[in-house]
Amino acid sequence: MTRLVIFGFDAAEAAQIRRIHSYMDCGFDVQGFTMRRDNMNVDFTPFWPNVELGQVPNEDVLRRVGTLAAAVPVIRRNRDKLAGADVIVARNLDMLALAVVAQGLTPGSRPPLIYECLDIHGAMTDTGAKGRVFRGLERRLLLRTRLLIVSSPAFLSAYFGPVQGWDGPSVLLENKLWIEGDSLARPTPDAPPAPVAGDAIRLGWVGTLRCPRSLALLAAAAETLGPRLSLRFHGAVHSHALPDFDAVVAAHPNISYGGPYAYPDDLAGIYANCDLVWSQDLWQWGTNSTWLLPNRIYEASYFGCPSLAVEGTETGRRVANGLGWALPVPTSEALVACIKALTPATIAQARRKLLTRPETDFRLGCDEIRGAIALALDP
């Protein structure tokens, strides 16, 4: 059995849990070394063997550096848990730095290192001295990396290739749904969505809620359209990024917040009660938000819910290719115009087309996961 040592930035973060779950379900022996944040699932207990590396703060680079430094002796004390590692996987730049340390502490031969890039952090695209420092650090760490995993092709074409000069092995492992076995069936193409009183378009915003521009854009559309639009928010709110979230929801009778949800069990009900979903991240416009492919486009499409995104972004290009509609610009006026132009028949037709597509378009399989790891094991 291939033994993976996973360095993760937050043991309780939904995408981290999904990835480790997928590794274990696909037959890998997993040992975790993870940090914690207080964004979500604060009472979560890892279901995998895990070494806690400490609490990492949000948006505080100096304190994060201190937390990373404090994690090094923890790794050294637990070096026995690195024994027998076939591959070390580091999920983001912080963890890559610690993974390089662990690589040197692993008893026996050094295992190959995978860098899994989840996002291009704003520090990496900063045009000043801070950006130069972080990019330089990443380039040095990439020299120790056997394989680069990205969730969007634009991370390679817009950043790792032209900016970091990466020409080593890479693989695209999209942030699709992970579902164990047949535990979450799709609706059939002819199954109608759950009914709702009135004739409002039900627009969801589902997942990790942290984008101030998206919240402002959606709230402005809610004010303009009134009872013609019902906004339904579901997921973990990053309060440090959206300090006014509760006030915005309370001020709009056509906005509701369903709170955090259980993944993947609650997804079917959430998307059955949405006609459309807002899938565009606007937080780091022109860089990470323009390049990424979010998990919500796969979730929504799997359950037959068309997405709305913005042209000129990787998300918008993917959505415009049969997953929904892309706005010409990221404004509430463009969103309102799009919603007014849609009819129930148009939305129903888009829903049926999504549900006739193969589930592998939206659901990750063990072949993809094992194939990615195998690339790092090749000499």
Side-chain angles (χ1 to χ4, degrees):
M1 181 181 290
T2 302
R3 179 170 172 78
L4 303 183
V5 173
I6 313 295
F7 279 79
F9 70 96
D10 184 358
E13 197 269 334
Q16 177 67 69
I17 294 169
R18 283 198 301 271
R19 181 64 87 231
I20 291 184
H21 217 311
S22 70
Y23 285 142
M24 296 175 71
D25 289 346
C26 292
F28 293 102
D29 177 22
V30 170
Q31 169 65 53
F33 283 77
T34 62
M35 292 194 168
R36 295 296 290 258
R37 297 189 184 186
D38 58 3
N39 294 326
M40 61 181 77
N41 302 333
V42 292
D43 297 323
F44 174 77
T45 299
F47 51 79
W48 59 88
N50 192 61
V51 174
E52 294 276 354
L53 296 178
Q55 191 83 11
V56 62
N58 289 302
E59 305 301 322
D60 189 330
V61 173
L62 291 178
R63 286 182 59 202
R64 286 174 70 170
V65 170
T67 304
L68 291 174
V72 172
V74 178
I75 298 170
R76 184 176 290 111
R77 288 196 300 270
N78 288 276
R79 62 183 300 178
D80 61 304
K81 295 180 175 62
L82 298 167
D86 294 296
V87 179
I88 298 177
V89 181
R91 288 173 57 81
N92 89 1
L93 182 61
D94 293 5
M95 296 300 102
L96 181 60
L98 292 181
V100 167
V101 172
Q103 191 182 44
L105 292 172
T106 302
S109 59
R110 287 184 175 181
L113 183 59
I114 293 176
Y115 177 24
E116 184 171 5
C117 180
L118 314 176
D119 292 289
I120 308 298
H121 192 277
M124 311 308 298
T125 54
D126 181 89
T127 57
K130 180 174 73 172
R132 290 192 294 273
V133 168
F134 278 100
R135 288 190 295 275
L137 171 63
E138 185 179 56
R139 280 193 293 272
R140 291 181 64 86
L141 295 174
L142 281 168
L143 295 174
R144 300 283 294 273
T145 299
R146 176 74 62 83
L147 175 70
L148 175 64
I149 293 179
V150 295
S151 58
S152 170
F155 289 169
L156 291 173
S157 62
Y159 177 73
F160 281 107
V163 176
Q164 294 295 61
W166 173 259
D167 58 2
S170 60
V171 64
L172 175 65
L173 196 61
E174 295 182 41
N175 198 17
K176 299 178 184 178
L177 273 160
W178 177 258
I179 305 169
E180 185 178 2
D182 297 320
S183 60
L184 202 63
R186 301 178 76 187
T188 59
D190 58 348
V196 64
D199 59 356
I201 292 288
R202 301 168 299 175
L203 176 59
W205 189 28
V206 184
T208 299
L209 309 182
R210 64 178 185 180
C211 176
R213 285 189 64 185
S214 288
L215 179 61
L217 182 152
L218 293 168
E223 291 178 8
T224 300
L225 291 171
R228 296 178 60 184
L229 178 64
S230 173
L231 289 178
R232 290 146 184 247
F233 298 164
H234 299 270
V237 178
H238 286 212
S239 56
H240 68 282
L242 301 178
D244 58 343
F245 179 84
D246 291 338
V248 170
V249 173
H252 296 83
N254 55 344
I255 300 180
S256 64
Y257 174 51
Y261 55 86
Y263 180 96
D265 301 13
D266 293 344
L267 294 178
I270 288 172
Y271 287 110
N273 283 283
C274 293
D275 300 304
L276 305 165
V277 65
W278 177 252
S279 292
Q280 185 68 60
D281 188 284
L282 302 172
W283 190 15
Q284 295 164 308
W285 191 251
T287 55
N288 186 59
S289 295
T290 303
W291 303 332
L292 59 75
L293 287 174
N295 176 254
R296 53 176 62 97
I297 65 172
Y298 307 102
E299 291 180 357
S301 299
Y302 182 88
F303 290 105
C305 186
S307 290
L308 298 180
V310 180
E311 293 177 5
T313 68
E314 195 68 21
T315 306
R317 282 188 285 273
R318 184 64 63 89
V319 165
N321 189 25
L323 305 187
W325 295 273
L327 312 181
V329 289
T331 64
S332 62
E333 292 81 5
L335 176 58
V336 167
C338 178
I339 290 173
K340 285 182 175 179
L342 294 175
T343 67
T346 302
I347 296 172
Q349 182 182 34
R351 182 177 185 276
R352 283 192 296 271
K353 286 183 177 179
L354 287 171
L355 292 173
T356 58
R357 289 178 61 158
E359 68 173 38
T360 51
D361 285 358
F362 315 120
R363 177 181 176 180
L364 196 62
C366 281
D367 287 347
E368 293 174 85
I369 292 170
R370 293 182 186 128
I373 299 297
L375 289 173
L377 291 170
D378 290 339

